[in-house]
Amino acid sequence: MESRPKIIPKKGHRISRKQMSPNALRILYRLHSRGFIAYLVGGCVRDLMLGRTPKDFDIGTNATPGQIKRLFHNSRLVGRRFRLAHIRFQDEIVEVSTFRRAADSSDIEEIPEIDEGKRRHVRHLKDEHGMVLADNIFGTPEEDAIRRDFTINALAYNIADSSVVDFSTGLADLKERLIRSIGDPEVRFTEDPVRMLRAVRFAASHNFEIEEEAWQAILKLASTIARVSPSRVYEEIQKLFLLGFAEPTFFLLEKSGLLASLLPGLSERMRTEPGLFQTFETHLRSIDGLARSGAPISPALFFTALHGESIEREALKRHQDGMPRRQALDASCAAFLEEIAKTAHIPGRVATRLCAILTLKSSICKMPPRRPNTIAGRPEFPETLVYLSVVAESHTEYHSILQWWETFIVESPVSEETPETSDDIPRKKRRRKRRRSNRAKQDQPDTQS
Ligand code: ATP
Ligand code: MG
């Protein structure tokens, strides 16, 4: 790799400290004043250079995790793959990590059967496919930069002199709007297949191209996503689809073959149902519109928007075979969750909400609905209406239903709760309260549920 970094002095770039998180700045100042190197690193420098607001600010330093811990009383050491410090503020957590380097062969301990307990103690560990499982060897700022995924993510901002430091070709690639792997993309994607998803995510969210060699490597290695742990896949799915760029992301995932490994059930259905890809694009466009207007898109809503209709179809089949409606829907939700669990770990709370949205949707769609106040008082009601508005983009028959509910809400407004809070209320307690309030108020909005 490049031996001399390119240094852009303060006057040569447009990054200003005003664009930075005051908390991150405070940390940088303190590290610097104690004699440590302190850089802003990773995606935040990329975004500042592009004039975008970074999602988070990460800091790299030569202080060790122990030294960071001693310097910041509000810090906590976290991470299994990478040991780093989380510095907590009222409304923000800033990640501070010690510069690390990629391991060479003398560092690597290859243990095919990894015991969970062991992972905490090894400095560097690869599995039998060459996938990196732990990575904790300290290094120089340059070594830290070149172990990162893409050149545009390897830029640093040095608090000492306000310069931007480029250890690879990040600045040139930013200009060319290119996602380029640092080093051989096949090697880098083998070390960590999630990097392929990250390439697609940045291409979609920043409107960049994936450089040809990296794109070819993705086409070749797409199926290796199956090696990533289901909980990490679930985390990545959230970043891929809930931040306002789901539609272009979906397109690239499909084009690259990554979708078939990420959501195999969905991908299989697209092969057998013509027009389904376009329907998904329509639904995702609608979700993107909501996300960009600032509406929180929950994972449950996203999964329902993609899988809801097929779950409902399965439920109808079960019902036609003699199963009661409600039981048929529950069984179909359970079958879907079992299938998706092979690749992505959906938390129980999200799964419960997905089933609740679909259950309530059938009550919402009965026209005129029975007990509309009770329906509108359900905690999943707002999300179910959003779901209906999403699928209404491809099903005009829902328009009149949505209209009915919009009029109903205007004429008899109900108090809303945040879905997360109401979901946390233990079931038994909720039922008891609802019955009591039903008796007392005779179908008034149920604010406890
Ligand atoms: P976002 O805008 O989504 O936060 P980001 O690039 O900042 O994008 P983070 O997940 O916050 O992404 O990671 C911070 C930095 O850590 C990245 O910019 C990159 O340098 C490095 N990084 C993250 N994940 C990986 C990975 N899987 N492999 C190598 N480097 C990574
Ligand atoms: Mg980031």
Side-chain angles (χ1 to χ4, degrees), residues 63-294:
T64 62
Q67 287 169 322
I68 300 167
K69 179 110 185 64
R70 282 192 289 281
L71 219 49
F72 300 95
H73 64 88
N74 50 339
S75 65
R76 206 158 65 92
L77 297 186
V78 297
R80 177 176 290 167
R81 276 168 58 85
F82 311 131
R83 202 92 183 115
L84 49 89
H86 272 178
I87 307 202
R88 291 172 174 272
F89 298 88
Q90 210 167 22
D91 52 352
E92 186 182 13
I93 295 177
V94 180
E95 275 188 15
V96 182
S97 36
T98 309
F99 296 129
R100 289 189 303 263
R101 67 173 166 86
D104 56 37
S105 54
S106 64
D107 299 306
I108 297 171
E109 301 170 38
E110 300 212 29
I111 306 174
E113 295 297 324
I114 305 112
D115 161 305
E116 280 290 310
K118 265 184 200 161
R119 285 195 199 176
R120 283 190 171 279
H121 307 294
V122 289
R123 291 187 311 154
H124 188 95
L125 187 68
K126 281 190 178 185
D127 74 358
E128 71 274 27
H129 306 292
M131 191 160 88
V132 175
L133 299 168
D135 193 358
N136 266 322
I137 308 162
F138 299 145
T140 63
E142 174 169 7
E143 286 168 332
D144 187 78
I146 62 175
R147 72 171 176 86
R148 290 173 184 274
D149 48 5
F150 305 110
T151 58
I152 56 167
N153 290 348
L155 297 167
Y157 172 90
N158 186 353
I159 197 72
D161 58 5
S162 305
S163 62
V164 169
V165 190
D166 182 6
F167 292 102
S168 60
T169 58
L171 290 167
D173 291 331
L174 265 190
K175 259 198 202 130
E176 300 281 319
R177 302 187 81 78
L178 274 185
I179 316 273
R180 186 193 303 277
S181 280
I182 299 180
D184 180 343
E186 279 195 32
V187 173
R188 302 310 310 279
F189 296 156
T190 303
E191 284 171 357
D192 182 2
V194 163
R195 289 173 186 154
M196 295 187 279
L197 301 179
R198 289 175 56 82
V200 164
R201 173 154 71 89
F202 297 129
S205 63
H206 287 64
N207 201 12
F208 273 39
E209 291 271 317
I210 299 176
E211 175 275 330
E212 186 57 23
E213 211 187 322
W215 179 253
Q216 292 302 326
I218 293 177
L219 296 180
K220 183 171 170 188
L221 298 172
S223 66
T224 62
I225 286 294
R227 291 184 197 146
V228 180
S229 77
S231 49
R232 200 158 169 233
V233 167
Y234 175 72
E235 268 174 43
E236 289 304 319
I237 284 179
Q238 293 185 73
K239 294 184 198 163
L240 286 164
F241 293 112
L242 307 186
L243 303 176
F245 303 96
E247 189 203 354
T249 300
F250 190 73
F251 175 81
L252 277 180
L253 286 174
E254 167 63 1
K255 193 171 163 203
S256 61
L258 286 164
L259 192 70
S261 322
L262 200 65
L263 299 167
L266 188 102
S267 181
E268 183 55 39
R269 274 200 294 286
M270 281 185 349
R271 260 190 291 281
T272 53
E273 282 181 51
L276 196 57
F277 178 72
Q278 283 73 19
T279 306
F280 286 148
E281 282 200 313
T282 308
H283 292 184
L284 293 175
R285 202 175 308 131
S286 165
I287 285 200
D288 284 344
L290 290 164
R292 288 187 204 180
S293 70

Side-chain angles (χ1 to χ4, degrees), residues 435-448:
R435 243 184 265 136
R436 220 187 298 141
S437 76
N438 280 351
R439 236 181 280 134
K441 297 181 193 164
Q442 293 195 345
D443 205 17
Q444 287 301 299
D446 181 356
T447 49
Q448 288 301 325

